């Protein structure tokens, strides 16, 4: 992975370890998205073993697609002498008209299908769980759609740097903290065991304090505030490098602080 990353960055300037880690952290955000969304995508599996088998394909596909993306960007650079990450723009610059229409139609269908499944189905379930008596799954999908339109993620596609720095690292930092909390609780505290019925039952063992786990809320608030501080002009000195790799550092810091607070608050 590091070798491919060095090969990718070499034509565009001197190699920087921090830049390489930032690119790696930005791509980690994709994995964090899947880590949070996967329970909603496989919730109807007949068993946990089936869920695990269904997810084994992910590491393989991510490696293949990642390698194809890096190689494709390098080939594009050799063809047009410019770094292009937008497949639509690259197609317009390099393909003849008959083939161009076929490729663009395929991209349209693929983009619609993948984004509908990955970016609307899981948030629809998560948003509906906030207030299930009033928010149905379909209403949750509509809310997620409105949020996506408000964020305007497509506006970052014009620049590879902006896409990584202003989009992947921006949302990946928050997701890193959330996934860190989830991993710490499920793996280290619950030992891979959850009482699903109790999760949705009032005054159960997961009720904590008035239905809120203070350790998770404090962890998310503190770690997120620290990692996003440079965005608001707060200088962190040498520790600012942690913000530049927010998805990775947020995951590790979220795990550590959550476990510490759960012990201090004596929560289980």
């Amino acid at each position: 992975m590091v070798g491919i990353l060095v090969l990718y960055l070499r034509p565009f300037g001197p190699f920087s370890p921090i830049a390489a880690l930032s690119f790696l952290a930005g791509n980690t955000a994709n994995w964090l998205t899947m880590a949070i969304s996967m329970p909603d995508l496989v919730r109807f599996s007949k068993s946990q073993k089936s869920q695990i088998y269904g997810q084994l394909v992910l590491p393989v596909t991510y490696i293949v697609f990642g390698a194809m993306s890096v190689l494709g960007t390098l080939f594009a650079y050799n063809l047009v002498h410019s770094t292009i990450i937008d497949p639509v723009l690259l197609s317009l610059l390099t393909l003849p008209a008959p083939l161009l229409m076929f490729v663009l139609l395929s991209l349209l269908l693929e983009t619609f299908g993948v984004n509908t499944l990955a970016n609307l189905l899981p948030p629809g379930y998560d948003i509906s769980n906030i207030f299930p008596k009033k928010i149905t799954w379909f209403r949750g999908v509509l809310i997620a759609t409105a949020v996506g339109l408000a964020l305007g993620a497509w506006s970052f596609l014009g620049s590879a740097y902006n896409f990584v720095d202003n989009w992947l690292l921006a949302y990946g930092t928050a997701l890193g903290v959330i996934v860190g909390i989830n991993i710490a609780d499920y793996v280290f505290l619950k030992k891979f065991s959850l009482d699903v019925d109790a999760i949705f039952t009032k005054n159960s063992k997961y009720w904590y304090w008035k239905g809120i786990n203070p350790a998770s809320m404090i962890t998310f608030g503190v770690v997120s505030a620290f990692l996003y501080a440079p965005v608001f002009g707060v200088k962190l000195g040498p520790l600012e490098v942690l913000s530049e790799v927010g998805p990775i550092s947020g995951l590790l810091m979220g795990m550590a602080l959550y476990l510490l607070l759960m012990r201090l608050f004596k929560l289980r």
Side-chain angles (χ1 to χ4, degrees):
M1 178 66 185
V2 174
I4 294 176
L5 195 56
V6 173
L7 180 63
Y8 171 69
L9 294 174
R10 186 177 297 165
F12 315 118
F15 175 75
S16 168
I18 298 302
L21 285 175
S22 294
F23 272 86
L24 180 61
N27 283 279
T28 301
N30 288 320
W31 280 102
L32 296 176
T33 303
M34 293 306 301
I36 289 180
S37 300
M38 190 52 63
D40 291 307
L41 294 172
V42 298
R43 61 165 53 202
F44 298 111
S45 299
K46 63 180 182 180
S47 66
Q48 189 172 22
K49 184 179 292 186
S50 299
Q51 293 179 343
I52 295 174
Y53 289 155
Q55 297 176 50
L56 289 179
V57 69
L58 284 176
V60 178
T61 54
Y62 263 77
I63 291 173
V64 172
F65 294 159
M68 290 174 61
S69 299
V70 172
L71 293 174
T73 303
L74 286 172
F75 293 150
Y77 184 82
N78 290 329
L79 284 174
V80 298
H81 306 292
S82 179
T83 308
I84 299 176
I85 64 169
D86 185 352
V88 175
L89 178 58
L90 183 60
S91 300
L92 290 171
L93 293 175
T94 59
L95 295 179
L99 183 58
L100 176 63
M101 296 302 297
F102 172 77
V103 170
L104 290 182
L105 179 61
S106 300
L107 283 173
L108 175 64
L109 295 175
E110 180 271 338
T111 301
F112 178 79
V114 171
N115 282 279
T116 300
L117 174 64
N119 297 331
L120 289 180
L121 191 151
Y125 282 120
D126 297 335
I127 294 173
S128 67
N129 284 336
I130 296 175
F131 197 6
K133 290 184 178 180
K134 296 292 184 180
I135 304 177
T136 62
W137 175 79
F138 182 70
R139 290 176 180 175
V141 169
L142 294 179
I143 294 173
T145 302
V147 172
L149 292 173
L151 289 174
W154 60 86
S155 62
F156 303 115
L157 288 177
S159 168
Y161 176 83
N162 287 337
F163 182 67
V164 173
D165 188 63
N166 296 340
W167 179 242
L168 291 180
L169 289 179
Y171 85 79
T173 296
L175 288 187
V177 182
I178 295 173
V179 173
I181 294 172
N182 289 345
I183 292 175
D185 190 82
Y186 181 63
V187 176
F188 296 105
L189 298 182
K190 302 302 188 295
K191 309 296 183 183
F192 300 97
S193 177
L194 285 177
D195 185 342
V196 178
D197 293 333
I199 293 176
F200 297 96
T201 303
K202 188 176 181 179
N203 297 321
S204 68
K205 57 184 177 181
Y206 301 132
W207 189 247
Y208 299 113
W209 179 76
K210 296 183 179 180
I212 297 174
N213 184 340
S216 64
M217 301 300 292
I218 294 173
T219 297
F220 180 76
V222 170
V223 177
S224 296
F226 175 80
L227 294 177
Y228 284 115
V231 177
F232 300 99
V234 179
K235 302 297 183 181
L236 300 177
L239 295 179
E240 196 161 322
V241 67
L242 296 175
S243 297
E244 297 177 8
V245 292
I248 298 175
S249 58
L251 187 148
L252 298 176
M253 293 170 65
M255 289 178 59
L257 183 57
Y258 178 77
L259 291 173
L260 175 62
L261 292 179
M262 288 293 284
R263 180 180 292 271
L264 290 177
F265 295 156
K266 297 181 179 180
L267 299 173
R268 294 291 184 271

